Amino acid sequence: MRKPLLFGNSTLLVCALFFTPLTFADQGARLLATGGASMLEGSGGGGIVPWATLSSYSGEDQLGVTVSLSEVTVDDFRLSVQGASFSWNNRIELSYAEQTFDLSTIGGELSQDIVGAKVRLAGDLIYGDLPQISIGAQHKKNKDYALPSAVGSQDDSSVDWYVSAAKAWLDGPFHRTWVANLTLRSSKANQLGLLGFGGDKEDSRDWLAEASVATFINRYWAVGIEYRQKPDNLSFAKEQDWKDLFVAYFPSKHVSVVGAYTDLGSIAGLDDQTGWYLSVQAAF
Amino acid sequence: MKIGLLLALLLITPLTFAQNLYVKLGEKQGIKTIVEEMLYRVGGDARIAHHFDGVDIMRVHKLISEQVCDLSGGPCDYSGEDMKTAHRNMGIDNADFNALVEHLIAAMEKQDIPVSAQNQLLALLAPMHSDIVED
């Protein structure tokens, strides 16, 4: 006589029904590193710039999932980010990030939630003449609005819109593979939104340019730079553009690690905020 | 002495760079080995092995080797069909194409082909994507 199954047949059936329609990006339908990393606002991208690429390695009719932890430590502040994203069909990406901004020197902490969506409109990162073009949105909501309000912020939530184009050259300069991404963002966010949206000095949307360029030394290691324009809406302190110099490591399609030297300029009146960025992502 | 060495280096360097892709891939024998390793890996990959069911694998090996030799500047003339005709109605999608690229890269890594030569070959093959993959 057969032994009864531990969970019974109905449970197995439910499991089968649940898993059948979705194919996870197990071995991955896309090439190593084309899923990129998780950027500070949770979207698939570099470190500080969302890219036209979609997170994970999911391809046609596949679902991909990523989780990430990032930390930026500069002279007087520390930013911690926990993020997760879902990608389907190499077409749609949904993301969530929770940012906590520790005002190490001033004292206190700020935080916000970011829900993001991105859609690939056309093109492919690697194949064909057209770059990969995506549009995206990031809905941001402050969770500690007392300080932003006190320094002149006009709103505790807002949506950033962006359009991104990314292209890889397999055999670029020095016979290395190069990747470039350009993002144009419409935003009112002060310091990513951690200091609220819009300000006493200016309360309108700005078009901001963000760019990344990276070269792959081999299949697993890339080095690159990023630049991100910032608005300047608050009169109490000037906000400056961000830049970083990064090294990315893709040991497999399941793990990526990005380390960077970052220059965040002046934040809340404290100048020359430079320091280190570290981000780890797991993808399934 | 030091200047002499430097001059010698300057003279040799352009020669090394000028060495063509065909030579960097190990010429006919090296290319055959790479393609053999690639097809061996493909055969063990459940994602794409079925595309080769009932296919004369020795012929595929000969044709791909010939094509790579031809593309890389070697003394060969590819004698097979064009890519569009050869892959018609095979139902190859992006994931299949990328899987093959991964096996080619793995095969080149195994043969210690330098990254620069790998990239040169991949860039020569990538434009075939639009003829091979069905939308």
Side-chain angles (χ1 to χ4, degrees):
Chain A
M1 205 181 101
R2 284 193 317 151
K3 284 183 178 174
L5 288 168
L6 189 59
F7 294 106
N9 287 331
S10 59
T11 314
L12 277 178
L13 186 69
V14 170
C15 285
L17 282 175
F18 182 74
F19 284 112
T20 306
L22 294 172
T23 313
F24 279 85
D26 186 20
Q27 287 171 286
R30 287 148 53 195
L31 298 175
L32 185 64
T34 57
S38 297
M39 53 90 56
L40 282 180
E41 291 152 313
S43 308
I48 57 176
V49 178
W51 289 15
T53 52
L54 303 200
S55 65
S56 90
Y57 295 95
S58 68
E60 284 130 354
D61 299 324
Q62 286 181 330
L63 178 69
V65 180
T66 71
V67 290
S68 64
L69 284 175
S70 309
E71 188 103 0
V72 191
T73 309
V74 290
D75 298 78
D76 300 296
F77 305 95
R78 200 180 80 216
L79 175 64
S80 307
V81 186
Q82 299 173 50
S85 79
F86 295 87
S87 294
W88 181 72
N89 207 15
N90 193 23
R91 177 65 68 186
I92 294 169
E93 173 192 296
L94 298 175
S95 61
Y96 170 76
E98 183 183 41
Q99 295 181 331
T100 307
F101 194 56
D102 191 355
L103 311 171
S104 320
T105 304
I106 302 168
E109 115 183 350
L110 298 169
S111 62
Q112 69 171 342
D113 287 332
I114 303 172
V115 175
K118 189 197 290 179
V119 179
R120 180 173 64 86
L121 293 184
D124 185 88
L125 178 68
I126 295 176
Y127 305 117
D129 299 323
L130 208 62
Q132 181 159 329
I133 298 166
S134 300
I135 52 167
Q138 293 171 338
H139 177 269
K140 303 175 173 183
K141 175 94 171 72
N142 274 148
K143 293 200 289 191
D144 305 284
Y145 193 58
L147 179 66
S149 175
V151 297
S153 160
Q154 303 296 301
D155 219 326
D156 70 346
S157 76
S158 180
V159 178
D160 283 6
W161 298 95
Y162 63 88
V163 55
S164 294
K167 188 71 198 160
W169 290 269
L170 291 172
D171 186 27
F174 310 108
H175 293 307
R176 285 296 177 275
T177 297
W178 291 70
V179 182
N181 181 86
L182 184 67
T183 296
L184 278 177
R185 181 196 298 257
S186 166
S187 174
K188 287 172 77 173
N190 310 319
Q191 300 294 4
L192 303 184
L194 289 159
L195 283 176
F197 305 87
D200 52 343
K201 189 160 99 186
E202 199 187 308
D203 190 27
S204 57
R205 284 181 169 274
D206 278 318
W207 279 104
L208 306 157
E210 306 174 4
S212 314
V213 178
T215 180
F216 282 83
I217 295 163
N218 57 31
R219 302 283 151 227
Y220 311 103
W221 289 89
V223 293
I225 51 170
E226 291 194 296
Y227 192 91
R228 176 166 173 171
Q229 251 184 350
K230 305 285 293 303
D232 190 18
N233 300 327
L234 300 171
S235 59
F236 93 104
K238 68 178 187 295
E239 182 168 346
Q240 293 178 320
D241 297 352
W242 284 9
K243 35 201 173 281
D244 71 61
L245 183 68
F246 69 85
V247 178
Y249 178 46
F250 301 90
S252 80
K253 287 187 184 176
H254 296 297
V255 181
S256 70
V257 183
V258 180
Y261 173 74
T262 56
D263 178 355
L264 307 186
S266 183
I267 298 177
L270 298 169
D271 292 342
D272 301 323
Q273 297 298 318
T274 58
W276 300 96
Y277 168 86
L278 183 70
S279 178
V280 181
Q281 184 209 70
F284 308 97
Chain B
M1 178 64 189
K2 270 185 183 168
I3 290 175
L5 273 175
L6 200 70
L7 279 175
L9 215 87
L10 280 173
L11 279 171
I12 294 165
T13 310
L15 289 176
T16 326
F17 282 130
Q19 193 188 45
N20 73 31
L21 179 58
Y22 172 67
V23 175
K24 288 188 209 161
L25 293 173
E27 308 194 11
K28 276 185 190 169
Q29 192 50 53
I31 291 169
K32 274 184 189 169
T33 311
I34 291 167
V35 176
E36 189 183 320
E37 175 69 22
M38 178 185 81
L39 289 174
Y40 178 74
R41 286 167 185 266
V42 166
D45 184 343
R47 292 177 294 176
I48 53 173
H50 63 276
H51 286 302
F52 293 84
D53 285 349
V55 167
D56 179 354
I57 207 73
M58 297 310 282
R59 182 172 167 271
V60 171
H61 178 263
K62 175 187 164 280
L63 286 174
I64 298 179
S65 301
E66 201 174 83
Q67 190 178 31
V68 170
C69 168
D70 192 352
L71 277 171
S72 65
C76 308
D77 283 309
Y78 173 60
S79 63
E81 297 169 306
D82 67 84
M83 286 295 99
K84 201 162 198 150
T85 313
H87 296 89
R88 185 164 291 153
N89 298 325
M90 281 185 68
I92 295 172
D93 65 14
N94 272 307
D96 298 334
F97 190 90
N98 285 335
L100 190 84
V101 172
E102 282 173 357
H103 293 307
L104 173 61
I105 292 171
M108 291 193 289
E109 296 258 300
K110 196 180 175 193
Q111 294 306 116
D112 291 323
I113 305 299
V115 173
S116 57
Q118 290 184 26
N119 288 340
Q120 282 175 270
L121 181 59
L122 293 174
L124 288 170
L125 298 172
M128 295 174 180
H129 176 269
S130 60
D131 285 336
I132 293 175
V133 169
E134 287 168 25
D135 291 321

